[in-house]
Amino acid sequence: MDEREVHVLLTDLSKNQFTGAIPSKLGDEGALRGKLDMSKNMLTGTIPTEFGRLSNLLAALTLADNQLSGQIPSELGILRLLRGSIDLSNNTIAGTLPTELGKLQTLKELQLSNNLISGSVPSEMAEMTSLELLYVPMLWHQH
């Protein structure tokens, strides 16, 4: 059998009743290309920083409607080829928005609503020149 690299172009793992943490192995370079959808499961824990390794491969990331917590990893700012969307809505993600998200200049949609994000929108996000849709929880400046 011919040994060739296998690349998954659309990984739809939504609505599968998965539980537990997202495996960091999904961030192995070359494992995924295109879109990753793990929405509407029962995933817990944090978003793996290893997703940053998919910088030249991932076009869209959907982790909405889970029970993810922790902060948005700054490594998501490395995903500069994202042309679709990042949807992290309906989780319990907390903390402030990483300034590195401003590097996602080709991103069209960023959905972060229904999370526990606080602080203000970083000025670096003005660099997201392709952004057409932005859903964020009501952010406030903490004194």
Side-chain angles (χ1 to χ4, degrees):
M1 187 165 153
D2 189 10
E3 288 187 31
R4 292 183 242 178
E5 276 190 48
V6 175
H7 300 288
V8 179
L9 295 176
L10 173 59
T11 307
D12 187 351
L13 301 173
S14 65
K15 302 178 197 171
N16 279 298
Q17 299 181 12
F18 290 135
T19 59
I22 298 171
S24 60
K25 282 222 167 255
L26 285 178
D28 286 350
E29 197 167 333
L32 298 171
R33 289 182 189 259
K35 300 177 182 181
L36 173 61
D37 185 350
M38 297 183 78
S39 63
K40 299 179 181 174
N41 283 294
M42 293 171 276
L43 298 170
T44 57
T46 59
I47 300 167
T49 59
E50 289 83 1
F51 279 178
R53 294 183 192 155
L54 301 171
S55 61
N56 296 319
L57 307 172
L58 204 57
L61 176 63
T62 304
L63 300 174
D65 300 304
N66 281 292
Q67 299 162 14
L68 297 172
S69 59
Q71 296 187 336
I72 297 171
S74 60
E75 288 81 0
L76 291 187
I78 299 171
L79 301 173
R80 295 194 180 123
L81 291 185
L82 280 173
R83 286 175 170 63
S85 66
I86 294 177
D87 187 353
L88 306 177
S89 58
N90 302 313
N91 282 288
T92 56
I93 297 168
T96 58
L97 295 175
T99 59
E100 291 82 1
L101 291 180
K103 296 176 184 173
L104 301 175
Q105 295 178 358
T106 58
L107 190 70
K108 293 200 183 329
E109 295 181 13
L110 179 59
Q111 298 186 42
L112 304 172
S113 57
N114 296 318
N115 278 293
L116 304 173
I117 297 169
S118 61
S120 57
V121 176
S123 60
E124 289 83 357
M125 289 182 72
E127 298 172 27
M128 300 172 80
T129 54
S130 297
L131 198 64
E132 297 172 359
L133 181 66
L134 174 64
Y135 284 117
V136 293
M138 184 180 263
L139 300 176
W140 65 91
H141 183 70
Q142 296 178 336
H143 299 282

